Amino acid sequence: MADAPTPLSYLALGDSYTIGEGVPEAGRWPVRLAQALREEGIALEAPRIIAEPLGPFDFVTLLIGVNNQYRNRSAVGYAGELHTLLKRAIKFAHGRADRVMVLSIPDWGVTPFARDDKRDAATIGAEIDAFNAAARKVCEGEGVAFDDITPCSREHGASMLAEDGLHPSADMYALWSQQALPVARTLLSR
């Protein structure tokens, strides 16, 4: 009988969307993605969801940028910060860009929280599109996978929310993890 494969390590870098603000740990999208990959037979440890990783890791995801956009920072400045973090993420992934995945910024402009913002939903959405275009370009330049979850957030963002009316619910994270699953599966098969 063959020994079970050694589980791969997984680092999820990000902000409150990655941490799963307002939902139980089992509902966080990185936790759901790891579970789905394990169900497909990929030996993967529970994700380490942190801002200051220790590494190295076999698989790294990155979901950042919403706070930059919310605070009216520029997409150009965000692209520079993302590039710096992406280089770190690649280092944490044993130098393998093909084991790093970036998720796009979800559109919080469709949430009830956005009603109190001076910008309207269309403006917020356009800004997020600009940030995501910058992120996609950075990812392409580094050979990193980019998974666009923004359309999902726009379609379901007004109804799949945590109690705070801003952060995604466990159901939304489930959609994100299902969308990210094929990309992650491909990255981990390399």
Side-chain angles (χ1 to χ4, degrees), residues 4 9 26 37 46 55 67 90 101 103 110 120 127 129 134 141-142 147 151 185:
S9 55
L37 288 164
N67 292 313
I90 292 167
M101 176 172 55
L103 273 69
V110 301
D120 62 16
E127 291 172 359
D129 288 343
E142 290 297 325
D147 190 19
R185 182 185 317 112

Side-chain angles (χ1 to χ4, degrees), residues 129-190:
D129 288 343
F131 275 65
N132 284 332
R136 184 182 298 276
K137 185 175 179 181
V138 170
C139 289
E140 288 171 357
E142 290 297 325
V144 168
F146 181 82
D147 190 19
D148 189 1
I149 61 167
T150 307
C152 179
S153 73
R154 288 179 172 146
E155 181 179 349
H156 302 289
S159 61
M160 293 183 161
L161 296 170
E163 289 183 26
D164 64 6
L166 170 63
H167 291 94
S169 68
D171 290 339
M172 176 69 85
Y173 287 133
L175 292 177
W176 293 1
S177 65
Q178 285 307 305
Q179 182 176 325
L181 179 60
V183 178
R185 182 185 317 112
T186 299
L187 296 178
L188 290 170
S189 70
R190 296 177 179 171

Side-chain angles (χ1 to χ4, degrees), residues 1 3 11 13 21 39 42 49 85 89 95 104 110 119 122 124 137 142 155 163-165 173 185 187:
M1 182 189 314
D3 292 335
L11 171 64
L13 293 172
E21 187 77 28
E39 288 170 3
I42 296 172
I49 305 172
L85 287 172
S104 67
V110 301
R119 297 166 288 186
I124 294 167
K137 185 175 179 181
E142 290 297 325
E155 181 179 349
E163 289 183 26
D164 64 6
Y173 287 133
R185 182 185 317 112
L187 296 178

Side-chain angles (χ1 to χ4, degrees), residues 2-126:
D3 292 335
T6 302
L8 301 171
S9 55
Y10 170 21
L11 171 64
L13 293 172
D15 53 23
S16 59
Y17 286 152
T18 301
I19 293 166
E21 187 77 28
V23 301
E25 181 178 349
R28 297 172 182 170
W29 81 264
V31 174
R32 288 176 171 269
L33 176 60
Q35 180 61 35
L37 288 164
R38 284 192 294 271
E39 288 170 3
E40 292 198 0
I42 296 172
L44 191 68
E45 294 175 358
R48 185 140 182 190
I49 305 172
I50 53 176
E52 289 297 324
L54 304 173
F57 296 90
D58 299 302
F59 178 52
V60 178
T61 60
L62 185 58
L63 169 56
I64 60 162
V66 71
N67 292 313
N68 298 63
Q69 183 277 329
Y70 177 76
R71 293 181 177 121
N72 292 310
R73 296 192 179 138
S74 74
V76 172
Y78 163 69
E81 291 176 19
L82 175 64
H83 193 244
T84 299
L85 287 172
L86 201 51
K87 288 210 169 276
R88 288 185 70 200
I90 292 167
K91 278 186 176 179
F92 289 129
H94 300 281
R96 294 185 61 180
D98 66 337
R99 287 287 183 94
V100 177
M101 176 172 55
V102 172
L103 273 69
S104 67
I105 302 169
D107 190 346
W108 64 274
V110 301
T111 69
F113 181 86
R115 285 186 228 135
D116 295 331
D117 196 87
K118 64 184 175 199
R119 297 166 288 186
D120 62 16
T123 300
I124 294 167

